[in-house]
């Protein structure tokens, strides 16, 4: 009985950080080279010269170094007069993969210059057998970290070596 109470007390103590309003996690296991070329493939492309945008639709896949982002729709906004990508806005269900980790959300906004991706709406981050959910995650590709906010929930897989009760 004492062992069960000890385990219950330990789980209760851990539930604060696990269900916290915000948490910082490692993302990608390595930093991303944000100066690497960006490759985009899609079923369709519409270019708007007047506002400096390109709209990719249908099976959009964006690659930069080891990172991959996939979504049904991505709007690419170019820096005025420079022909460089300023930012990308992905929507319709986004998947981001970097190293061993993957994240999903309703929407993602990627600022190329700052190396920051803001994922919003039903965010799910998987790191091996562990999973974290929240409403918003800000990924910093320069230092390989992510900040999750909005009712963060974590599921930690203790593996088959965990004691059975």
């Amino acid at each position: 009985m004492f062992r069960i109470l000890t385990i219950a007390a330990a789980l209760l103590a851990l539930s604060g950080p696990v269900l916290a309003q915000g948490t910082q996690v490692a993302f990608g296991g390595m930093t991303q080279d944000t100066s690497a070329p960006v490759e985009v493939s899609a079923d369709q492309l519409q270019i708007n010269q007047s506002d400096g945008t390109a709209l990719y639709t249908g099976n959009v896949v964006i690659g930069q170094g080891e990172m991959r982002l996939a979504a049904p729709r991505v709007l690419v906004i170019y820096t005025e007069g420079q022909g460089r990508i300023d930012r990308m806005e992905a929507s319709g269900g986004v998947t981001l993969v970097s190293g061993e980790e993957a994240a999903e959300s309703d929407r993602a906004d990627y600022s190329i210059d700052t190396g920051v991706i803001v994922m919003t709406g039903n965010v799910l981050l998987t790191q091996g057998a562990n999973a974290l959910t929240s409403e918003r995650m800000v990924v910093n590709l320069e230092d390989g970290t992510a900040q999750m906010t909005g009712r963060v929930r974590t599921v930690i897989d203790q593996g088959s070596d965990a004691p059975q009760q």
Side-chain angles (χ1 to χ4, degrees):
M1 182 67 158
F2 178 73
R3 184 175 179 194
I4 292 172
L5 289 175
T6 303
I7 292 170
L11 289 174
L12 183 60
L14 288 174
S15 68
V18 169
L19 296 175
Q21 288 296 317
T23 189
Q24 184 146 349
V25 295
F27 186 82
M30 63 179 180
T31 56
Q32 171 68 23
D33 181 6
T34 56
S35 65
V38 176
E39 182 180 330
V40 182
S41 65
D43 293 338
Q44 297 178 24
L45 169 61
Q46 296 175 345
I47 297 174
N48 187 334
Q49 296 285 346
S50 64
D51 67 2
T53 63
L55 177 62
Y56 293 88
T57 55
N59 302 308
V60 183
V61 177
I62 299 169
Q64 185 180 34
E66 296 296 315
M67 183 184 69
R68 297 289 175 267
L69 185 143
R73 179 184 188 278
V74 176
L75 180 66
V76 176
I77 298 115
Y78 291 91
T79 304
E80 190 174 328
Q82 295 182 10
R84 291 179 22 126
I85 297 174
D86 181 40
R87 68 182 201 277
M88 293 185 270
E89 300 172 355
S91 59
V94 180
T95 301
L96 174 67
V97 178
S98 180
E100 299 279 324
E101 298 160 332
E104 297 176 7
S105 67
D106 296 337
R107 178 181 173 88
D109 296 321
Y110 178 20
S111 173
I112 302 293
D113 287 339
T114 64
V116 172
I117 301 173
V118 178
M119 300 183 79
T120 54
N122 301 306
V123 177
L124 168 64
L125 171 63
T126 56
Q127 297 178 311
N130 302 324
L132 296 95
T133 62
S134 70
E135 282 304 308
R136 184 172 193 262
M137 178 172 72
V138 178
V139 179
N140 183 329
L141 297 173
E142 295 291 328
D143 63 12
T145 62
Q147 178 75 32
M148 299 182 82
T149 56
R151 195 61 184 164
V152 177
R153 182 169 184 263
T154 306
V155 178
I156 301 171
D157 182 6
Q158 297 295 322
S160 60
D161 295 337
Q164 301 293 318
Q165 295 295 323

